[in-house]
Amino acid sequence: MCGITGYIGKNKNAIKVIIDGLEALEYRGYDSAGIAYITDNKLKVIKEKGKIVNLKEKVDLNIKSTLGIGHTRWATHGEPSKENSHPHTVNKFTVVHNGIIENYLELKDTLLKNGYTFNSTTDTEVACAYIDYLYKEEKDILKTLNKATKIFRGSYALGIICIDDLDNLYAVRKTSPLIIAKGDGENYIASDVPAILKYTNKYMLLDDNEIAKISVSDIKVYNDKLKEVTKETYEFEGSYESSMKCGYDHFMLKEIHEEPIVFSNTVNSKMDNLPDFSKYNQIHIVACGSAYHTGLVGKYLIEKYANIPVYVEVASEYRYKKNFYDKNTLVIFVSQSGETADTLAALKKANDDNIDTLSIVNVVGSSIARESKYVIYTKAGCEIAVATTKAYLAQLSVFALITSWISKDKNILKDIDKISNLIEETIDKNYLDIAKQIYKNNNIFFIGRGIDYALCMEGSLKLKEISYINSVAYQAGELKHGTISLIEKDTPVIAIATNDELLEKTISNIKEVKARGAKVIFITNSDVTGDFYDYIIKIPKVCETLQPILTVIPLQLIAYEVAKLNNCDIDKPRNLAKSVTVE
Ligand code: AGP
């Protein structure tokens, strides 16, 4: 989703730093980009529809600038266009904005009555004009921004330049994430850590309704009463290089190859302040997309091995429905980014109801991590590809750990020491030949039973999001109740069977589709052979709690190879954003 970068400093060229930052945020997904900078005490704004390269063609990197802000926009209010892209300037103020100002029409009405006119259809231009409007009365930037936070409804992170104060860069946030990074004789703002890693790894997190006044040598942060507050400085553990491609064609492939180390880092990390799992008699798991799919695996494992009922819900539904819980309920929130708007809202709802909350999050200090009573960090490092792979695998690893803690049965993790090697072995198989069999099809089916059905859902999502091929995931036994009518000659069916108890039943279902002409790709950890499949992918067999970690790898790599054969934009699929900070 949208990205923000900003720079104030005497050592570097603001334009270059900002463009670098925007490029590092490209993975978030966007449809236009823009930059505003100060040169010779004058403001210059350049914006372009489409990719950052279009913007770069219009920008002169030889111009000297010490102050600027930049933005990549993912359209919400108004189509992707040059006019709607950020930064927006109204009189003395120029802003870049992530999030949504919900009451912008109301504010626009006031502004129209006061003589303001608008060039775009965005809520951002209205926010910028409203700040200008308030400033006319307040005549003080901090007071103006403080007043604006009390009037703006919705979620926002704003980077702000005021032509009356070119010694400072301003920032304010509510719900949408924003960091302030520290350099030597220079400081930065950004919506996410990768934007600043090329230059510094030290950053602080702005909290809701706080305002930052940032100069070349100083960062001052004020709370909603305009009282200065002290902020903690974090150091990002990964390096800039680690967030780059390291010779792989795509970030997705690089991130899949990082899975062995991600697994080992996650399961061996020190985990403090964990809840007392023995006190809960039911668990809810709430998440979106792939994170929701890891919740389905978690449900299967916890119910089977720890004997506690688990209810898994998509966050955008959970937050609006009646939930049945009591003091002995634990609600687990799963999120790579830690910023997904629906998951965050569902978490706030559980907090309001005074229910214990545990989040499984990848990004340290993210909103979901900070709002949860307990946190477990997955150690996936920076994930750039929009399609999650290594973070998903890290979440599966955490659910395996949680299952063993609750059940107190260490034996269910008996294969833990061999998994990193087996992940590597599974990654190294050839998936291209299988991909060649299916990449021209418009409809692909994934079938499985029990825990394998949860994996089918992830395999299907992975394929859809990066290759744009329609696919569905079905419980193998359910197909004959309607959907089997879609199976015809050569329809690809990817069938997963990793559970011995369900193997025969699944094979019967595979035979049903095979009899109707399906082209079957069979993924299994068993030694079974027969004429019920066309291709087989044999994965290593390990204990059931850890098996999904190996099962998902062929699914990720088949999706990757299919998308590559179809020349898709693998790391930045159309219409998608890495971090979904709108509802
Ligand atoms: C997965 O490949 C997707 N890009 C998406 O479903 C993602 O898992 C979902 O948006 C949740 O994101 P989060 O883990 O950052 O909360």
Side-chain angles (χ1 to χ4, degrees):
M1 220 128 272
C2 310
I4 288 178
T5 58
Y7 175 81
I8 184 160
K10 51 187 184 196
N11 304 331
K12 300 188 178 71
N13 180 351
I15 304 170
K16 175 155 186 345
V17 175
I18 289 163
I19 299 272
D20 281 348
L22 293 181
E23 284 181 329
L25 293 177
E26 270 197 294
Y27 70 93
R28 293 166 68 100
Y30 68 102
D31 42 53
S32 54
I35 178 167
Y37 56 87
I38 302 294
T39 182
D40 292 334
N41 288 326
K42 286 200 185 63
L43 180 84
K44 175 96 178 139
V45 180
I46 305 173
K47 324 197 261 195
E48 282 302 318
K49 189 179 162 188
K51 299 284 177 196
I52 294 171
V53 284
N54 303 349
L55 176 69
K56 274 169 99 176
E57 279 169 17
K58 299 280 159 56
V59 168
D60 181 353
L61 288 174
N62 297 315
I63 292 176
K64 286 214 167 61
S65 172
T66 54
L67 171 62
I69 47 180
H71 193 259
T72 44
R73 174 175 185 255
W74 189 81
T76 56
H77 290 64
E79 55 171 13
S81 69
K82 194 166 168 167
E83 293 70 39
N84 287 337
S85 54
H86 307 199
H88 287 282
T89 302
V90 179
N91 300 334
K92 297 194 169 192
F93 287 87
T94 299
V95 307
V96 286
H97 166 219
N98 283 2
I100 291 173
I101 308 283
E102 283 166 2
N103 57 338
Y104 83 106
L105 287 175
E106 210 178 286
L107 304 179
K108 191 169 186 177
D109 212 35
T110 309
L111 292 165
L112 288 168
K113 286 182 190 139
N114 282 278
Y116 283 84
T117 55
F118 297 91
N119 299 315
S120 76
T121 55
T122 63
D123 52 339
T124 307
E125 191 182 15
V126 172
C128 184
Y130 208 85
I131 290 170
D132 182 74
Y133 170 69
L134 293 174
Y135 182 66
K136 283 181 183 158
E137 195 184 306
E138 297 292 335
K139 297 183 178 60
D140 175 279
I141 300 172
L142 284 176
K143 283 187 188 159
T144 298
L145 296 178
N146 180 248
K147 198 159 183 185
T149 61
K150 297 193 164 75
I151 294 171
F152 292 171
R153 284 204 312 270
S155 61
Y156 49 84
L158 294 166
I160 306 151
I161 293 176
C162 176
I163 206 77
D164 282 351
D165 180 11
L166 297 182
D167 292 329
N168 288 291
L169 168 61
Y170 291 85
V172 60
R173 85 149 220 172
K174 187 179 170 200
T175 312
S176 293
L178 199 80
I179 62 164
I180 306 160
K182 291 160 89 169
D184 188 13
E186 56 199 358
N187 292 306
Y188 312 75
I189 59 167
S191 45
D192 206 352
V193 174
I196 49 95
L197 281 183
K198 190 167 182 180
Y199 299 105
T200 176
N201 67 349
K202 293 190 181 56
Y203 66 97
M204 43 179 81
L205 301 157
L206 206 58
D207 281 308
D208 276 358
N209 298 322
E210 285 181 345
I211 303 166
K213 181 178 180 183
I214 306 155
S215 71
V216 165
S217 54
D218 202 15
I219 297 170
K220 286 194 188 323
V221 177
Y222 302 88
N223 66 13
D224 61 349
K225 302 199 171 49
L226 285 184
K227 204 167 162 283
E228 198 177 333
V229 287
T230 314
K231 302 295 293 182
E232 187 179 345
T233 300
Y234 296 87
E235 274 195 31
F236 185 76
E237 288 170 17
S239 63
Y240 177 65
E241 286 67 33
S242 77
S243 70
M244 295 294 112
K245 278 191 203 146
C246 300
Y248 288 98
D249 286 351
H250 298 95
F251 282 113
M252 183 177 174
L253 189 61
K254 173 187 169 241
E255 287 159 5
I256 291 172
H257 279 267
E258 286 169 353
E259 288 177 338
I261 184 81
V262 164
F263 172 79
S264 131
N265 287 347
T266 301
V267 298
N268 293 318
S269 70
K270 206 166 145 278
M271 296 180 191
D272 300 323
N273 188 27
L274 291 173
D276 170 11
F277 286 103
S278 65
K279 76 179 219 209
Y280 304 112
N281 56 21
Q282 65 162 331
I283 292 175
H284 295 190
I285 302 176
V286 182
C288 303
S290 293
Y292 165 74
H293 297 157
T294 63
L296 294 174
V297 172
K299 170 186 168 69
Y300 179 95
L301 295 176
I302 296 169
E303 287 185 340
K304 179 164 178 179
Y305 293 97
N307 218 20
I308 298 181
V310 180
Y311 305 91
V312 191
E313 301 268 3
V314 163
S316 55
E317 293 293 322
Y318 188 86
R319 60 180 292 198
Y320 296 117
K321 68 185 267 291
K322 183 171 165 61
N323 299 306
F324 295 91
Y325 36 46
D326 57 27
K327 291 230 159 338
N328 298 321
T329 306
L330 174 69
V331 190
I332 302 180
F333 297 86
V334 191
S335 176
Q336 184 285 127
S337 62
E339 300 295 349
T340 301
D342 282 318
T343 312
L344 182 59
L347 164 62
K348 285 183 175 162
K349 185 182 175 197
N351 281 341
D352 288 347
D353 287 338
N354 236 341
I355 302 300
D356 277 4
T357 55
L358 162 69
S359 65
I360 301 172
V361 174
N362 195 41
V363 178
V364 177
S366 56
S367 304
I368 291 172
R370 287 189 290 155
E371 296 269 344
S372 305
K373 183 165 180 189
Y374 305 102
V375 187
I376 295 176
Y377 283 112
T378 49
K379 295 281 176 180
C382 200
E383 193 177 63
I384 303 280
V386 166
T388 182
T389 52
K390 60 175 181 170
Y392 171 88
L393 186 131
Q395 291 161 1
L396 291 181
S397 317
V398 170
F399 274 117
L401 290 179
I402 291 178
T403 306
S404 80
W405 296 332
I406 306 181
S407 69
K408 299 196 171 74
D409 180 356
K410 290 217 173 79
N411 203 33
I412 62 174
L413 294 180
K414 66 178 164 33
D415 295 323
I416 203 158
D417 293 337
K418 16 179 196 168
I419 292 293
S420 287
N421 285 342
L422 296 177
I423 296 174
E424 214 165 314
E425 192 182 295
T426 312
I427 291 171
D428 287 341
K429 287 184 191 295
N430 173 4
Y431 298 100
L432 180 60
D433 291 346
I434 302 272
K436 282 183 183 158
Q437 297 300 322
I438 63 174
Y439 80 103
K440 286 189 179 146
N441 286 82
N442 293 325
N443 268 313
I444 296 180
F445 289 79
F446 289 78
I447 61 169
R449 284 171 177 261
I451 202 167
D452 291 329
Y453 170 61
L455 273 296
C456 285
M457 291 186 71
E458 176 59 8
S460 170
L461 176 66
K462 216 84 300 174
L463 189 70
K464 283 189 278 247
E465 67 177 334
I466 62 167
S467 74
Y468 317 142
I469 292 174
N470 183 40
S471 72
V472 286
Y474 252 83
Q475 295 97 334
E478 181 64 11
L479 215 58
K480 56 183 167 293
H481 296 287
T483 315
I484 202 163
S485 64
L486 294 172
I487 303 289
E488 50 191 6
K489 189 170 173 339
D490 288 337
T491 304
V493 174
I494 298 179
I496 309 178
T498 65
N499 178 312
D500 287 345
E501 289 155 36
L502 298 170
L503 183 64
E504 275 185 22
K505 298 283 173 208
T506 308
I507 291 176
S508 300
N509 302 134
I510 299 174
K511 286 181 178 168
E512 289 160 9
V513 293
K514 186 80 193 119
R516 283 151 185 90
K519 191 192 284 181
V520 175
I521 294 144
F522 184 43
I523 301 177
T524 188
N525 58 0
S526 75
D527 291 325
V528 69
T529 53
D531 57 3
F532 58 89
Y533 57 80
D534 296 272
Y535 305 93
I536 185 163
I537 299 172
K538 183 83 198 298
I539 52 173
K541 189 183 193 76
V542 289
C543 55
E544 194 176 24
T545 44
L546 299 169
Q547 186 67 53
I549 290 165
L550 300 179
T551 311
V552 76
I553 293 167
L555 305 176
Q556 295 173 343
L557 282 160
I558 289 173
Y560 173 80
E561 296 292 0
V562 167
K564 200 170 168 192
L565 287 168
N566 283 316
N567 289 319
C568 296
D569 194 350
I570 293 180
D571 287 333
K572 286 170 267 159
R574 70 184 180 208
N575 304 341
L576 294 180
K578 182 67 182 165
S579 169
V580 184
T581 49
V582 294
E583 298 171 3

Short mmCIF file of all heavy atoms in Angstrom, two decimals, residues 288-291 334-338 340 386-388 461-462 465 580, ligand 1:
data_model
loop_
_atom_site.label_atom_id
_atom_site.label_comp_id
_atom_site.label_asym_id
_atom_site.label_seq_id
_atom_site.Cartn_x
_atom_site.Cartn_y
_atom_site.Cartn_z
N CYS A 288 -5.80 -12.39 8.33
CA CYS A 288 -6.25 -12.21 6.94
C CYS A 288 -5.34 -13.00 6.00
O CYS A 288 -4.15 -13.17 6.28
CB CYS A 288 -6.16 -10.75 6.51
SG CYS A 288 -7.09 -9.62 7.55
N GLY A 289 -5.89 -13.39 4.86
CA GLY A 289 -5.10 -13.98 3.78
C GLY A 289 -4.28 -15.19 4.23
O GLY A 289 -4.79 -16.10 4.90
N SER A 290 -3.01 -15.18 3.87
CA SER A 290 -2.15 -16.32 4.21
C SER A 290 -2.05 -16.52 5.72
O SER A 290 -1.95 -17.65 6.20
CB SER A 290 -0.75 -16.10 3.65
OG SER A 290 -0.79 -16.14 2.26
N ALA A 291 -2.04 -15.43 6.45
CA ALA A 291 -1.94 -15.53 7.91
C ALA A 291 -3.16 -16.28 8.46
O ALA A 291 -3.05 -17.07 9.41
CB ALA A 291 -1.82 -14.14 8.52
N VAL A 334 -2.59 -13.13 13.93
CA VAL A 334 -1.42 -13.50 13.14
C VAL A 334 -1.24 -12.47 12.02
O VAL A 334 -2.18 -12.17 11.29
CB VAL A 334 -1.58 -14.90 12.51
CG1 VAL A 334 -0.25 -15.38 11.93
CG2 VAL A 334 -2.11 -15.90 13.51
N SER A 335 -0.03 -11.92 11.91
CA SER A 335 0.20 -10.91 10.87
C SER A 335 1.69 -10.75 10.59
O SER A 335 2.47 -10.55 11.51
CB SER A 335 -0.37 -9.56 11.33
OG SER A 335 -0.09 -8.56 10.38
N GLN A 336 2.05 -10.86 9.33
CA GLN A 336 3.44 -10.63 8.96
C GLN A 336 3.80 -9.17 9.24
O GLN A 336 4.73 -8.88 9.96
CB GLN A 336 3.64 -10.96 7.47
CG GLN A 336 5.07 -10.86 6.94
CD GLN A 336 5.57 -9.45 6.73
OE1 GLN A 336 6.64 -9.09 7.24
NE2 GLN A 336 4.84 -8.63 6.02
N SER A 337 3.01 -8.27 8.64
CA SER A 337 3.35 -6.84 8.71
C SER A 337 3.09 -6.23 10.08
O SER A 337 3.74 -5.28 10.49
CB SER A 337 2.52 -6.06 7.69
OG SER A 337 1.14 -6.20 7.99
N GLY A 338 2.10 -6.79 10.77
CA GLY A 338 1.70 -6.19 12.05
C GLY A 338 0.92 -4.90 11.87
O GLY A 338 0.66 -4.17 12.82
N THR A 340 -1.89 -4.78 9.38
CA THR A 340 -3.12 -5.03 8.61
C THR A 340 -4.32 -4.42 9.34
O THR A 340 -4.60 -4.75 10.50
CB THR A 340 -3.29 -6.54 8.40
OG1 THR A 340 -2.14 -6.99 7.69
CG2 THR A 340 -4.53 -6.86 7.60
N VAL A 386 5.31 -9.40 -2.41
CA VAL A 386 3.93 -9.26 -1.91
C VAL A 386 3.39 -10.61 -1.46
O VAL A 386 2.72 -10.72 -0.43
CB VAL A 386 3.04 -8.61 -2.99
CG1 VAL A 386 1.56 -8.77 -2.65
CG2 VAL A 386 3.38 -7.13 -3.14
N ALA A 387 3.68 -11.65 -2.23
CA ALA A 387 3.22 -12.99 -1.85
C ALA A 387 4.09 -13.50 -0.70
O ALA A 387 5.29 -13.69 -0.86
CB ALA A 387 3.30 -13.94 -3.03
N THR A 388 3.49 -13.74 0.42
CA THR A 388 4.28 -14.17 1.57
C THR A 388 4.69 -15.64 1.42
O THR A 388 3.91 -16.47 0.96
CB THR A 388 3.52 -13.96 2.89
OG1 THR A 388 4.36 -14.36 3.96
CG2 THR A 388 2.23 -14.75 2.93
N LEU A 461 -4.26 -19.71 -3.05
CA LEU A 461 -4.09 -18.24 -2.94
C LEU A 461 -2.78 -17.81 -3.60
O LEU A 461 -2.73 -16.82 -4.35
CB LEU A 461 -4.11 -17.80 -1.47
CG LEU A 461 -3.83 -16.32 -1.23
CD1 LEU A 461 -4.94 -15.45 -1.80
CD2 LEU A 461 -3.67 -16.01 0.25
N LYS A 462 -1.72 -18.58 -3.34
CA LYS A 462 -0.40 -18.23 -3.90
C LYS A 462 -0.46 -18.19 -5.41
O LYS A 462 0.03 -17.27 -6.06
CB LYS A 462 0.61 -19.29 -3.42
CG LYS A 462 1.97 -18.85 -3.10
CD LYS A 462 2.19 -18.29 -1.73
CE LYS A 462 1.38 -17.09 -1.43
NZ LYS A 462 1.48 -16.61 -0.08
N GLU A 465 -2.70 -15.15 -6.65
CA GLU A 465 -2.19 -13.79 -6.47
C GLU A 465 -1.01 -13.46 -7.39
O GLU A 465 -0.90 -12.32 -7.84
CB GLU A 465 -1.88 -13.46 -5.01
CG GLU A 465 -0.75 -14.19 -4.35
CD GLU A 465 -0.50 -13.72 -2.92
OE1 GLU A 465 -0.83 -12.56 -2.58
OE2 GLU A 465 0.02 -14.50 -2.14
N VAL A 580 -1.69 -4.30 4.02
CA VAL A 580 -3.03 -3.80 3.68
C VAL A 580 -3.55 -2.94 4.83
O VAL A 580 -4.19 -3.42 5.75
CB VAL A 580 -3.98 -4.97 3.36
CG1 VAL A 580 -5.35 -4.44 2.91
CG2 VAL A 580 -3.38 -5.83 2.24
C1 AGP B 1 -0.26 -13.38 1.08
O1 AGP B 1 0.59 -13.80 0.09
C2 AGP B 1 -0.92 -12.11 0.87
N1 AGP B 1 -0.12 -11.15 0.27
C3 AGP B 1 -1.90 -11.65 1.92
O2 AGP B 1 -2.94 -12.59 1.92
C4 AGP B 1 -1.42 -11.44 3.39
O3 AGP B 1 -1.10 -12.67 3.97
C5 AGP B 1 -2.53 -10.71 4.16
O4 AGP B 1 -2.79 -9.47 3.56
C6 AGP B 1 -2.21 -10.53 5.62
O5 AGP B 1 -1.09 -9.71 5.79
P1 AGP B 1 -0.33 -9.63 7.17
O6 AGP B 1 0.23 -10.98 7.44
O7 AGP B 1 0.73 -8.59 6.97
O8 AGP B 1 -1.35 -9.24 8.22
#
